[in-house]
Amino acid sequence: LYVLIFFFQAEDGIRDVERSRGLGDVYKRQVHGDSIDMEKKSYRPISNSILEAVGNTPLIRLNKIPKEEGVECEILVKCEFMNPTGSHKDRMAQNIFEEAEKAGKLKPGGTIIEATGGNTGLSLSFVAALRGYKSVIVATSHTSQEKVDLMKGYGADIIKAKNTLFKGPDGLLALSQRIHESIPDSYLTLQFENMAGPLAHYNTTGEELFEQTGGKIDYFFMAMGTGSTISGTGKKLKEKIPSVKVIGCDPVGSLISQPDGKGTYVPVKTEGVGLNFVPNTCDKKVVDDWMRFTDKDAFITTRRLMKDEGIMCGGSGGGILWSAMEFAKKNKLTKDHRLVVILPDTGRNYLTKIINNEWMFEYGFITEAEYRKLTMEDSMMPEKRSGDDIPLKDCACAEIKVLKLDSTIQELSLIHIS
């Protein structure tokens, strides 16, 4: 008897040690009343740099929103906002620097220049700071103040343009070129042409999704900015899963989803998407079908994600999820189908915009009744706005004045031309 007692006590002791070390123990947790086996995962080892934390983002199953919308299929969201700067652009930025350094296009202590809606500039200035480069970022008029402040925090010089147009003689790309010509040892990263972008997602995002899902993906949804994510990831997924369908999500008013890339461009409030041209980094042959969303579709869904699923993403993520759910309803997808949605960036970049009730009311995305219910106030209502802060017809261009001191930019100011 004593021998048996000793044996069982010893066995329990060994199990306790195994649990403390995390050696193959299987834990139970309760989610919505269902018991789920979760094998304990290994922790990341010590990283030599924050750059090693780029990628390997979580894939989360949505629960409440699909059910409320009557969507039967499984929807998984790839949380790219958990990259170091809060967006999927960290993947592209890291690869852009690596490829440029290999090709000898970047000189030590040089300056990178980029035109951006914000996230690319944020990621590039982040990587530039770590690799010892300067950065000059040309941002659109709609780039959130949060993004501007964060880029400044990484040491970037910011030029906030008077419009949202990238292409054309008065666009941000032309402005970036003029800055490049005025700064010695500078390098234009050119996110809309640089194939290091799609390659980054082909090598990382596509591989991650395949491994995370065990190769079970029926539909993949992503919005179009540069098109790098959908092009690179879509290409890899189609190689690994021939049956997968890639669905492009584009805001109403963008020319990317137009068959010939032509038409009437209408600026949108959703940052990072909606262009007046089709970038070279966008491989439309990868896309099997298109869904189009409005700013209101995107922003209302973004706020629902935060409230109902606890997921704080940016406006484009809301637009992509709205598109996925509408696609599922339209095509009567069943519980046997799995949809994967990219959530490109964090909602923390939009605390003064999408997350802000006053801003949502001022631009007509929520009604007065909705605003009063949200704020529980009967005080004076905010002044309503319409359209752009600056009328499009007055956004012809901006001439740049560059003041230099010791070969570095001390001030970059824009002189608006009416």
Side-chain angles (χ1 to χ4, degrees), residues 357-369:
N357 294 328
E358 285 75 15
W359 187 89
M360 287 288 287
F361 173 74
E362 287 170 9
Y363 285 97
F365 297 121
I366 58 175
T367 65
E368 180 174 337

PDB file of all heavy atoms in Angstrom, residues 357-369:
ATOM      1  N   ASN A 357     -17.346  60.067 -31.861  1.00  0.00           N
ATOM      2  CA  ASN A 357     -18.759  60.266 -32.194  1.00  0.00           C
ATOM      3  C   ASN A 357     -19.017  61.597 -32.884  1.00  0.00           C
ATOM      4  O   ASN A 357     -19.826  61.684 -33.811  1.00  0.00           O
ATOM      5  CB  ASN A 357     -19.615  60.174 -30.926  1.00  0.00           C
ATOM      6  CG  ASN A 357     -19.601  58.791 -30.313  1.00  0.00           C
ATOM      7  OD1 ASN A 357     -19.498  57.793 -31.029  1.00  0.00           O
ATOM      8  ND2 ASN A 357     -19.697  58.722 -28.992  1.00  0.00           N
ATOM      9  N   GLU A 358     -18.341  62.648 -32.433  1.00  0.00           N
ATOM     10  CA  GLU A 358     -18.552  63.970 -33.018  1.00  0.00           C
ATOM     11  C   GLU A 358     -18.146  63.977 -34.487  1.00  0.00           C
ATOM     12  O   GLU A 358     -18.860  64.503 -35.347  1.00  0.00           O
ATOM     13  CB  GLU A 358     -17.757  65.040 -32.245  1.00  0.00           C
ATOM     14  CG  GLU A 358     -18.359  65.412 -30.906  1.00  0.00           C
ATOM     15  CD  GLU A 358     -18.130  64.342 -29.839  1.00  0.00           C
ATOM     16  OE1 GLU A 358     -17.264  63.459 -30.054  1.00  0.00           O
ATOM     17  OE2 GLU A 358     -18.825  64.379 -28.811  1.00  0.00           O
ATOM     18  N   TRP A 359     -16.997  63.389 -34.783  1.00  0.00           N
ATOM     19  CA  TRP A 359     -16.519  63.339 -36.180  1.00  0.00           C
ATOM     20  C   TRP A 359     -17.490  62.546 -37.042  1.00  0.00           C
ATOM     21  O   TRP A 359     -17.807  62.943 -38.163  1.00  0.00           O
ATOM     22  CB  TRP A 359     -15.131  62.712 -36.225  1.00  0.00           C
ATOM     23  CG  TRP A 359     -14.480  62.752 -37.578  1.00  0.00           C
ATOM     24  CD1 TRP A 359     -13.692  63.752 -38.080  1.00  0.00           C
ATOM     25  CD2 TRP A 359     -14.539  61.752 -38.600  1.00  0.00           C
ATOM     26  NE1 TRP A 359     -13.269  63.437 -39.352  1.00  0.00           N
ATOM     27  CE2 TRP A 359     -13.770  62.216 -39.699  1.00  0.00           C
ATOM     28  CE3 TRP A 359     -15.173  60.512 -38.704  1.00  0.00           C
ATOM     29  CZ2 TRP A 359     -13.622  61.478 -40.876  1.00  0.00           C
ATOM     30  CZ3 TRP A 359     -15.038  59.780 -39.868  1.00  0.00           C
ATOM     31  CH2 TRP A 359     -14.276  60.258 -40.944  1.00  0.00           C
ATOM     32  N   MET A 360     -17.959  61.431 -36.529  1.00  0.00           N
ATOM     33  CA  MET A 360     -18.897  60.596 -37.291  1.00  0.00           C
ATOM     34  C   MET A 360     -20.186  61.360 -37.595  1.00  0.00           C
ATOM     35  O   MET A 360     -20.748  61.252 -38.698  1.00  0.00           O
ATOM     36  CB  MET A 360     -19.212  59.326 -36.507  1.00  0.00           C
ATOM     37  CG  MET A 360     -18.081  58.320 -36.461  1.00  0.00           C
ATOM     38  SD  MET A 360     -17.790  57.480 -38.045  1.00  0.00           S
ATOM     39  CE  MET A 360     -19.226  56.384 -38.109  1.00  0.00           C
ATOM     40  N   PHE A 361     -20.640  62.169 -36.631  1.00  0.00           N
ATOM     41  CA  PHE A 361     -21.853  62.958 -36.868  1.00  0.00           C
ATOM     42  C   PHE A 361     -21.589  64.115 -37.824  1.00  0.00           C
ATOM     43  O   PHE A 361     -22.379  64.372 -38.735  1.00  0.00           O
ATOM     44  CB  PHE A 361     -22.414  63.490 -35.545  1.00  0.00           C
ATOM     45  CG  PHE A 361     -23.554  64.443 -35.739  1.00  0.00           C
ATOM     46  CD1 PHE A 361     -24.803  63.976 -36.126  1.00  0.00           C
ATOM     47  CD2 PHE A 361     -23.379  65.814 -35.574  1.00  0.00           C
ATOM     48  CE1 PHE A 361     -25.865  64.858 -36.334  1.00  0.00           C
ATOM     49  CE2 PHE A 361     -24.425  66.700 -35.776  1.00  0.00           C
ATOM     50  CZ  PHE A 361     -25.682  66.221 -36.157  1.00  0.00           C
ATOM     51  N   GLU A 362     -20.476  64.798 -37.613  1.00  0.00           N
ATOM     52  CA  GLU A 362     -20.157  65.964 -38.438  1.00  0.00           C
ATOM     53  C   GLU A 362     -20.110  65.612 -39.917  1.00  0.00           C
ATOM     54  O   GLU A 362     -20.490  66.417 -40.779  1.00  0.00           O
ATOM     55  CB  GLU A 362     -18.814  66.559 -38.006  1.00  0.00           C
ATOM     56  CG  GLU A 362     -18.867  67.295 -36.672  1.00  0.00           C
ATOM     57  CD  GLU A 362     -17.494  67.656 -36.156  1.00  0.00           C
ATOM     58  OE1 GLU A 362     -16.513  67.491 -36.912  1.00  0.00           O
ATOM     59  OE2 GLU A 362     -17.381  68.089 -34.996  1.00  0.00           O
ATOM     60  N   TYR A 363     -19.648  64.415 -40.241  1.00  0.00           N
ATOM     61  CA  TYR A 363     -19.537  64.015 -41.644  1.00  0.00           C
ATOM     62  C   TYR A 363     -20.696  63.147 -42.107  1.00  0.00           C
ATOM     63  O   TYR A 363     -20.663  62.573 -43.198  1.00  0.00           O
ATOM     64  CB  TYR A 363     -18.199  63.312 -41.885  1.00  0.00           C
ATOM     65  CG  TYR A 363     -17.056  64.294 -41.927  1.00  0.00           C
ATOM     66  CD1 TYR A 363     -16.282  64.530 -40.794  1.00  0.00           C
ATOM     67  CD2 TYR A 363     -16.781  65.036 -43.075  1.00  0.00           C
ATOM     68  CE1 TYR A 363     -15.250  65.455 -40.814  1.00  0.00           C
ATOM     69  CE2 TYR A 363     -15.760  65.955 -43.107  1.00  0.00           C
ATOM     70  CZ  TYR A 363     -14.997  66.171 -41.968  1.00  0.00           C
ATOM     71  OH  TYR A 363     -13.975  67.101 -41.988  1.00  0.00           O
ATOM     72  N   GLY A 364     -21.743  63.056 -41.291  1.00  0.00           N
ATOM     73  CA  GLY A 364     -22.975  62.413 -41.735  1.00  0.00           C
ATOM     74  C   GLY A 364     -22.982  60.903 -41.701  1.00  0.00           C
ATOM     75  O   GLY A 364     -23.844  60.273 -42.328  1.00  0.00           O
ATOM     76  N   PHE A 365     -22.083  60.281 -40.945  1.00  0.00           N
ATOM     77  CA  PHE A 365     -22.042  58.822 -40.894  1.00  0.00           C
ATOM     78  C   PHE A 365     -22.962  58.247 -39.820  1.00  0.00           C
ATOM     79  O   PHE A 365     -23.271  57.067 -39.836  1.00  0.00           O
ATOM     80  CB  PHE A 365     -20.606  58.338 -40.684  1.00  0.00           C
ATOM     81  CG  PHE A 365     -19.685  58.716 -41.813  1.00  0.00           C
ATOM     82  CD1 PHE A 365     -18.551  59.487 -41.581  1.00  0.00           C
ATOM     83  CD2 PHE A 365     -19.968  58.335 -43.112  1.00  0.00           C
ATOM     84  CE1 PHE A 365     -17.712  59.855 -42.620  1.00  0.00           C
ATOM     85  CE2 PHE A 365     -19.133  58.697 -44.160  1.00  0.00           C
ATOM     86  CZ  PHE A 365     -18.007  59.458 -43.920  1.00  0.00           C
ATOM     87  N   ILE A 366     -23.376  59.094 -38.861  1.00  0.00           N
ATOM     88  CA  ILE A 366     -24.424  58.712 -37.915  1.00  0.00           C
ATOM     89  C   ILE A 366     -25.425  59.850 -37.842  1.00  0.00           C
ATOM     90  O   ILE A 366     -25.089  61.014 -38.098  1.00  0.00           O
ATOM     91  CB  ILE A 366     -23.872  58.401 -36.506  1.00  0.00           C
ATOM     92  CG1 ILE A 366     -23.108  59.592 -35.929  1.00  0.00           C
ATOM     93  CG2 ILE A 366     -22.995  57.161 -36.526  1.00  0.00           C
ATOM     94  CD1 ILE A 366     -22.640  59.377 -34.480  1.00  0.00           C
ATOM     95  N   THR A 367     -26.672  59.524 -37.531  1.00  0.00           N
ATOM     96  CA  THR A 367     -27.732  60.520 -37.473  1.00  0.00           C
ATOM     97  C   THR A 367     -27.694  61.280 -36.145  1.00  0.00           C
ATOM     98  O   THR A 367     -26.977  60.896 -35.213  1.00  0.00           O
ATOM     99  CB  THR A 367     -29.106  59.854 -37.612  1.00  0.00           C
ATOM    100  OG1 THR A 367     -29.318  58.996 -36.476  1.00  0.00           O
ATOM    101  CG2 THR A 367     -29.182  59.024 -38.892  1.00  0.00           C
ATOM    102  N   GLU A 368     -28.506  62.332 -36.069  1.00  0.00           N
ATOM    103  CA  GLU A 368     -28.581  63.101 -34.822  1.00  0.00           C
ATOM    104  C   GLU A 368     -29.104  62.230 -33.687  1.00  0.00           C
ATOM    105  O   GLU A 368     -28.601  62.287 -32.565  1.00  0.00           O
ATOM    106  CB  GLU A 368     -29.493  64.313 -35.015  1.00  0.00           C
ATOM    107  CG  GLU A 368     -29.619  65.175 -33.766  1.00  0.00           C
ATOM    108  CD  GLU A 368     -30.404  66.455 -33.998  1.00  0.00           C
ATOM    109  OE1 GLU A 368     -30.477  66.910 -35.158  1.00  0.00           O
ATOM    110  OE2 GLU A 368     -30.942  66.983 -33.000  1.00  0.00           O
ATOM    111  N   ALA A 369     -30.099  61.395 -33.987  1.00  0.00           N
ATOM    112  CA  ALA A 369     -30.648  60.510 -32.961  1.00  0.00           C
ATOM    113  C   ALA A 369     -29.591  59.519 -32.477  1.00  0.00           C
ATOM    114  O   ALA A 369     -29.476  59.248 -31.274  1.00  0.00           O
ATOM    115  CB  ALA A 369     -31.859  59.755 -33.520  1.00  0.00           C
TER     116      ALA A 369
END
